[in-house]
Amino acid sequence: MLKPKELNLVSEWDKTFEKSEKVTHKKVTFINRYGITLAADMYTPKNASGLLPAVAVCGPFGAVKEQCSGLYAQTLAERGFLTIAFDPSFTGESGGEPRYMASPDINTEDFQAAVDFLSLEENVDSERIGILGICGWGGMALNTAALDTRIKATVVSTMYDMTRVNANGYFDSSDSEEARYENKKALNAQRLEDYKNGSYKLGGGVIDPLPEDAPFFVKDYYDYYKTKRGYHPRSLNSNGGWNVTGCMSFINQPILKYSNEIRSAVLIIHGDKAHSCYFGKDAFENMMNGNKYTDNKELMLIPGAVHTDLYDRTNIIPFDKIESFFNEHLK
């Protein structure tokens, strides 16, 4: 078995949510195909017996496992699943250098490595493994589901397609060859600056202080990442953000090209008032188009919910539906 490298992991509880008395928690590590050691929080139902269904959780894009992915993982563990919430490569407590980089390939591999790890856990049923991706990791989860035949069910919550937003801008407002060219030109100029300086310039997290005329979706992010509600010192979005060139390769690497070949079960959840809802609706439509396996695919729209409502609003996140979906398809 591949052996992870030793990481410097925080031992105390430093999550943005309360610790549950219904589950046991411990830090674990595992290694991906590129030799990067990933850090995760494992949540196990107390008094659990026999082989358990398992779910790997990640997201949002630029968040850490101490934020909403951990909340999802802990809540699902309360409902009978063994879960892990992990930090992607180059972020949080996970390894990988340089820091604050993203990769459609490596980040998809992170999810697959989580499946590797769970498949070999002694109290996990390797035939009953699912994944759950939040925000930008929703798109990564769909990409992983299209690639990894071991995954029996995938839940996607308040998703982004990070390749689409990097190529086209928000709301596809920069979807032209000219706009993409200018973007690539600026990024390549930044590459030379970084190379000369010997360091990578950060792009900045959520803007702070918040301008009065900021768009609603920026205010929505601020309300989560920059307040007591969701701030975490290791979170990219709460602090300095990704490297300016960190997401460059997303521009011409669409990750959802083969989503309509996903045979396993998929549930896409989105708030119908979320600025990002078009990502979820379009992803569902594209996944269904020409797919031979449509009976196990669902789109669930939450009336009145905005993007970050599905980060941590436990009265809005449809955990009953998520639980029943995983129970049905992780048989």
Side-chain angles (χ1 to χ4, degrees):
M1 187 182 298
L2 294 172
K3 291 191 176 181
K5 295 179 181 178
E6 187 171 343
L7 298 175
N8 184 23
L9 302 177
V10 173
S11 57
E12 67 267 16
W13 184 266
D14 63 345
K15 322 299 184 194
T16 60
F17 51 91
E18 295 285 329
K19 187 175 184 180
S20 173
E21 296 302 319
K22 299 178 182 179
V23 305
T24 59
H25 162 265
K26 67 176 181 178
K27 291 284 183 78
V28 297
T29 59
F30 54 96
I31 192 168
N32 73 13
R33 189 164 49 94
Y34 294 99
I36 299 171
T37 298
L38 304 180
D41 288 297
M42 178 183 285
Y43 301 91
T44 307
K46 282 188 176 178
N47 304 316
S49 60
L51 297 179
L52 300 173
V55 180
V57 187
C58 194
F61 196 78
V64 288
K65 64 188 182 303
E66 289 75 21
Q67 294 172 304
C68 58
S69 62
L71 173 64
Y72 272 74
Q74 179 175 260
T75 304
L76 287 174
E78 291 178 329
R79 293 165 179 253
F81 302 89
L82 184 147
T83 63
I84 58 171
F86 65 90
D87 285 329
S89 295
F90 314 114
T91 66
E93 292 187 301
S94 287
E97 294 288 341
R99 305 302 290 168
Y100 315 135
M101 289 293 186
S103 162
D105 180 18
I106 295 175
N107 294 148
T108 298
E109 164 62 23
D110 290 343
F111 252 133
Q112 291 199 270
V115 176
D116 294 339
F117 171 76
L118 290 173
S119 296
L120 298 179
E121 278 294 290
E122 61 182 8
N123 53 344
V124 167
D125 184 341
S126 62
E127 295 298 318
R128 300 166 70 198
I129 294 177
I131 60 174
L132 191 155
I134 307 162
C135 185
W137 280 84
M140 295 293 184
L142 287 178
N143 193 39
T144 309
L147 185 62
D148 198 323
T149 57
R150 300 169 299 174
I151 295 167
K152 301 303 188 294
T154 300
V155 173
V156 169
S157 182
T158 196
M159 73 161 281
Y160 263 54
D161 175 352
M162 293 308 302
T163 53
R164 180 175 177 180
V165 75
N166 275 280
N168 299 348
Y170 281 97
F171 315 113
D172 298 326
S173 60
S174 302
D175 185 14
S176 69
E177 186 273 340
E178 292 82 5
R180 275 186 288 276
Y181 182 82
E182 291 302 319
N183 185 23
K184 289 182 282 188
K185 185 178 176 182
L187 288 169
N188 283 300
Q190 185 62 52
R191 289 179 67 102
L192 293 180
E193 288 299 312
D194 291 346
Y195 198 88
K196 285 189 293 185
N197 295 334
S199 61
Y200 293 92
K201 182 180 179 182
L202 292 176
V206 174
I207 190 170
D208 189 18
L210 184 68
E212 289 186 11
D213 61 349
F216 173 76
F217 75 94
V218 175
K219 295 178 180 177
D220 190 26
Y221 283 133
Y222 184 95
D223 187 51
Y224 181 78
Y225 286 108
K226 288 293 190 176
T227 69
K228 186 178 179 181
R229 173 185 166 197
Y231 177 84
H232 195 276
R234 287 193 296 277
S235 170
L236 283 71
N237 294 339
S238 291
N239 299 283
W242 297 94
N243 294 328
V244 172
T245 62
C247 300
M248 185 174 182
S249 65
F250 284 77
I251 293 173
N252 62 346
Q253 296 188 41
I255 56 175
L256 302 183
K257 181 174 177 60
Y258 296 107
S259 65
N260 65 348
E261 296 183 5
I262 299 174
R263 298 187 180 189
S264 56
V266 177
L267 170 63
I268 295 177
I269 304 167
H270 231 117
D272 70 354
K273 300 301 182 186
H275 73 277
S276 53
C277 192
Y278 70 101
F279 289 123
K281 288 179 177 178
D282 289 356
F284 182 77
E285 181 180 351
N286 294 335
M287 179 176 62
M288 298 292 279
N289 185 24
N291 197 321
K292 298 177 183 178
Y293 303 87
T294 58
D295 290 346
N296 57 0
K297 310 290 191 295
E298 298 182 52
L299 172 65
M300 182 181 189
L301 298 180
I302 310 298
V306 299
H307 185 81
T308 68
D309 283 340
L310 297 185
Y311 281 11
D312 65 337
R313 308 291 194 197
T314 54
N315 60 325
I316 296 177
I317 301 169
F319 279 118
D320 288 343
K321 173 62 179 178
I322 295 171
E323 176 187 3
S324 65
F325 181 82
F326 276 134
N327 278 332
E328 178 182 357
H329 297 289
L330 299 182
K331 291 179 181 178

